[in-house]
Amino acid sequence: MAERSTAAVDVADNSGDQPLAAAAAKATADGVDTQDGRAADEPMPEPDGERPPAATTAAPELHSGHKLARRYRLEECVTRLDGFSSWRAMDEKLRRAVGVHLLPADHPRARSVLAAARSSALLGDPRFVQVLDAVEENDLVYVVHEWLPDATELTAVLASGPLEPHEAYQLVSQVSQAMAAAHREGLAHLRLTPSAILRTSTGQYRIRGLAVNAALRGITSDTPQRTDTEAIGALLYASLTQRWPYEDDAYGLTGLPKGVGLIPPDQVRAGVHRGLGELAMRALANDGATASRQEPACTTPEELAKAVAAIPRIRPPEPAFTAPPEYQRTTYQQGSYGRPPTHPGGGVTRPVALPPPSPLQSRTGRVLKWGVAALLIAALGLGSWQLAGSLLDQANDDSGGDTSTSQSDTTNDAPKPAKESKALDIKGAFVFGRSAIKPEDAGNAVDGNPNTAWRTWEFYTHANFGNMSKHSEGSGIVVDLGSPREVTGLEVDLYGTGHTIDVRAAPASASKPESLDDFTQKLTKPEESGSQLKVPLDTPIQTRYVLIHISKLPPDSAGNYRGGIRDIRVLGRDG
C-alpha cells in the first residue's frame, strides 16, 4: 500500500470536501518564511522557478494593527502568496511575539490547513516550532505558531561557509530523529529546506512548518517518508559542501555542475568527513544516486537516524587557547637574590646541569659584595641629600622664581603621547529610515556575533531605496555610544557584497537623529563595498550617533535584492 502524507490531510469525511490534488513537490525554499521577513508589497516567487497554481480566493485585506480574537495584534506581513498571508504578530495576553498564517475560510485549502495545524499541535515535540492555535473565525482561518527571535535559519548559517563535522553531525542527528518521531504519528513535512531549519542560540535545531507549510501550498506525496528522507540528505550534503545537490542554484547555494549527476561530497570539497558524506549519499539515493560503498539506501527518517547512530561519534573541535607570553625575569627582583627562579604556582624550576659557582660566591667574594653594596648606599644617600638641599635653595631664592616657572612651562608644553584607539562600548542600535525594516533585529548588528545579523527583506523590483517612497532615504543601522565619544574609525562586516553604502555621524549635541539631514558629518562617500568596510579617520570626531547608511541593495542568486549588516565596531579613545 502506498504511503500517504498527512501534511495535506484528507478531510472529506468531516467536511464533504474532496481530497487535495497531488502536486509535484520538487525541493524548494520555504516560501512561508515567517521567521525571516520578506517584503509584503511584492509577490514572492518560488526559488526554483516553479509556483503551484494560484488560489482563486484573494488573501484577506488586513493591515498592521489589526487584532485577531482581541488578542493577536498583527505587526508585519512577511509573506503574501496564493491567497494566504503570513505575519509577525504580538500576543498581547502573554506579551510575546508569535507568527500567524491567515487565509479566507472559503479558500480551497482552508480545511486542510486547519486539520494539518491541529494534527501538528497534538504532536507536542519540542524539536518542532509549536502550533499554538488553529481557529476559524469571522470568515477567516488562522494558525498561530511560535516565533523564535534568537534562532538563525540554516540558509544564513551556510552563507558564511560549510559546517564543521561535529555541527553537521548534530544537524542530521537531530533532524532525522525528530522527523522519525513525526512519521510515527503519521505526520510529514514535505518542505524540509534550509529555511525550514532553525538553529537556536544554544546550538539546538528546530524544524518549522511541520504539515502546515505543505498544506498551505497544496503539496502532497504518495511516499512522504522517502520525500522527507531525501530532503534531510540534501540538507546534510549542503552543510558539508556549501553546494546544493542538484543542478539548479537554490537558497543562496550554487548547484552542482550540469550533466555530471549527483557526485559524492568529497569530490565537491576536500576534507569532507567520510562517514557523513556516505550518509548524505545513502539518503539521496532516492533520486537515483548510487549509495557509497554499496550500502543500502535510507528510505525513511527512522532508517537514517539509525545509520547516523551507527557511525562513530564525532567529537566537537578542541577550543583554541592562546599561549600565554613567556615569563621574563627582570634584572632585579626583591627577595630573590641568589635563589633559583620560581613559577607563580610556587614550584621551583631547577636546571638539568648547574653551572660552576661564580667566584663571588666564595667567602672573600661575599665580603667584597657587601662592601660594594655599602659604598653604593652611601653614595646614593649623599647624592639624595645634596639634591634635596639644592631644591630647597631654589625654592627659597626669590630671584630664581622666574626660572622655576620657565622650567614648569617647558615641562607642560611637552607633547603628550596619543592614546591608542580601541573598540568603544556600544550602548544600543536602531534601524534608520522612515519605515524601519525589521527593527527587532537591530541588536544583531552590534552583538559581536558573526553568526547573527540584521538583514533587510527581499525586494523583487528595486535595488535602489530611492525608488521606493517608504524607503526614499535608504536604510541602515544607527549606533548609539551612550554619550559623545572621540571616534577614530569604524569596521563593518556586511551581509554579502555589493552594497552601496556610506558612513555618517551626528553632531555631538544631537539627542536622537532620525533623518539624513541630522547626520551632518560625512565620513565616507556612497560607494559599492565588499563584505567588509573599514573607515579610518585621519582626524578624530566627537559624536554619539554613527549611521551606517545603505542606499542600494546587492542582488542575490535568484535576481532579487537583499542586504544587511553582521557586525559593527566603532574605534575611538577614552577621555
Side-chain angles (χ1 to χ4, degrees):
M1 181 180 296
E3 301 173 85
R4 180 161 181 81
S5 166
T6 57
V9 180
D10 183 359
V11 293
D13 295 338
N14 298 327
S15 65
D17 295 339
Q18 294 299 319
L20 297 175
K26 186 177 181 180
T28 61
D30 186 358
V32 187
D33 190 355
T34 59
Q35 184 73 23
D36 189 7
R38 303 280 197 240
D41 56 351
E42 301 284 351
M44 185 180 67
E46 291 290 310
D48 63 356
E50 298 181 2
R51 289 174 60 101
T56 57
T57 305
E61 291 297 330
L62 301 176
H63 54 81
S64 298
H66 183 90
K67 285 187 182 180
L68 301 173
R70 291 185 291 184
R71 173 177 179 177
Y72 303 112
R73 185 181 74 249
L74 303 182
E75 292 191 341
E76 177 190 353
C77 181
V78 294
T79 301
R80 192 184 299 277
L81 183 69
D82 291 342
F84 71 87
S85 60
S86 300
W87 295 73
R88 175 176 58 82
M90 175 60 66
D91 183 348
E92 295 187 336
K93 184 176 181 180
L94 298 180
R95 297 182 180 274
R96 64 179 178 181
V98 294
V100 179
H101 302 306
L102 275 168
L103 65 166
D106 59 351
H107 193 287
R109 295 194 286 267
R111 307 298 299 172
S112 297
V113 170
L114 273 178
R118 290 166 180 169
S119 299
S120 177
L122 291 175
L123 181 63
D125 192 320
R127 293 171 291 191
F128 295 91
V129 174
Q130 298 296 297
V131 172
L132 305 175
D133 210 349
V135 180
E136 180 178 358
E137 180 182 71
N138 298 331
D139 298 327
L140 283 176
V141 167
Y142 59 89
V143 176
V144 183
H145 62 86
E146 284 184 293
W147 187 276
L148 306 178
D150 66 333
T152 305
E153 284 185 9
L154 184 60
T155 308
V157 176
L158 293 181
S160 59
L163 302 184
E164 53 90 13
H166 177 262
E167 192 68 24
Y169 173 83
Q170 292 296 324
L171 167 69
V172 67
S173 177
Q174 294 179 33
V175 173
S176 61
Q177 291 177 19
M179 289 309 306
H183 278 282
R184 285 195 293 269
E185 299 298 327
L187 292 170
H189 196 291
L190 305 186
R191 286 185 64 80
L192 276 174
T193 64
S195 58
I197 308 299
L198 305 176
R199 185 173 70 177
T200 67
S201 57
T202 60
Q204 301 300 310
Y205 288 93
R206 303 280 299 274
I207 304 172
R208 67 179 174 194
L210 177 66
V212 175
N213 283 357
L216 283 166
R217 298 305 184 89
I219 294 175
T220 61
S221 173
D222 291 331
T223 56
Q225 296 209 46
R226 294 184 64 179
T227 299
D228 282 344
T229 305
E230 183 173 356
I232 300 173
L235 294 175
L236 177 58
Y237 193 104
S239 299
L240 295 172
T241 64
Q242 204 184 10
R243 298 285 291 269
W244 192 238
Y246 303 98
E247 291 185 352
D248 295 330
D249 300 346
Y251 322 112
L253 300 173
T254 305
L256 297 180
K258 298 185 183 299
V260 301
L262 182 59
I263 55 180
D266 55 5
Q267 295 183 21
V268 176
R269 175 176 169 267
V272 171
H273 187 276
R274 185 174 184 178
L276 293 177
E278 291 178 354
L279 277 179
M281 295 297 289
R282 292 175 63 185
L284 285 168
N286 302 325
D287 197 39
T290 302
S292 299
R293 286 186 164 187
Q294 305 301 318
E295 294 285 346
C298 297
T299 58
T300 68
E302 186 80 39
E303 292 177 358
L304 182 57
K306 291 180 179 178
V308 174
I311 68 174
R313 184 169 182 176
I314 302 172
R315 296 183 178 275
E318 294 292 335
F321 293 104
T322 303
E326 186 177 353
Y327 177 69
Q328 300 287 338
R329 279 181 57 84
T330 59
T331 55
Y332 172 76
Q333 289 186 336
Q334 184 176 3
S336 63
Y337 183 81
R339 300 177 187 172
T342 59
H343 289 298
V348 178
T349 302
R350 301 185 182 278
V352 176
L354 293 176
S358 170
L360 291 180
Q361 291 182 351
S362 64
R363 183 174 181 181
T364 305
R366 287 197 297 271
V367 172
L368 180 58
K369 283 192 297 182
W370 284 112
V372 172
L375 288 174
L376 287 174
I377 291 172
L380 288 172
L382 179 60
S384 300
W385 177 77
Q386 289 178 341
L387 178 61
S390 176
L391 293 175
L392 287 174
D393 291 341
Q394 267 190 341
N396 294 328
D397 189 357
D398 293 337
S399 63
D402 294 340
T403 304
S404 299
T405 303
S406 175
Q407 290 176 348
S408 176
D409 292 342
T410 303
T411 303
N412 292 335
D413 290 341
K416 297 181 180 179
K419 296 181 180 179
E420 292 186 359
S421 298
K422 66 176 184 178
L424 298 178
D425 292 335
I426 296 176
K427 302 301 182 182
F430 57 91
V431 178
F432 172 80
R434 289 191 301 159
S435 179
I437 298 175
K438 302 177 74 175
E440 69 279 0
D441 293 341
N444 292 343
V446 295
D447 61 1
N449 184 357
N451 293 325
T452 62
W454 167 79
R455 290 182 292 164
T456 69
W457 304 312
E458 276 188 357
F459 294 89
Y460 303 106
T461 306
H462 304 297
N464 191 332
F465 279 121
N467 294 329
M468 293 178 282
S469 58
K470 291 183 180 180
H471 309 287
S472 58
E473 287 195 332
S475 187
I477 293 293
V478 178
V479 173
D480 182 3
L481 300 177
S483 62
R485 307 291 294 276
E486 183 179 351
V487 176
T488 60
L490 288 94
E491 295 177 353
V492 183
D493 292 340
L494 298 167
Y495 191 82
T497 61
H499 298 72
T500 298
I501 195 167
D502 62 300
V503 181
R504 306 184 180 202
S509 59
S511 58
K512 188 172 182 181
E514 295 181 349
S515 68
L516 281 178
D517 294 337
D518 295 333
F519 294 89
T520 57
Q521 305 184 76
K522 298 181 180 181
L523 308 186
T524 66
K525 295 180 179 179
E527 59 183 1
E528 187 171 313
S529 69
S531 61
Q532 289 188 332
L533 177 66
K534 294 187 178 181
V535 185
L537 301 181
D538 296 333
T539 303
I541 63 169
Q542 288 286 336
T543 186
R544 173 179 175 178
Y545 297 99
V546 180
L547 166 63
I548 292 81
H549 177 237
I550 301 175
S551 55
K552 189 175 180 181
L553 297 174
D556 60 15
S557 59
N560 305 316
Y561 301 96
R562 188 177 195 177
I565 299 174
R566 292 185 183 276
D567 194 33
I568 302 171
R569 294 174 295 280
V570 181
L571 306 179
R573 303 188 185 107
D574 291 328

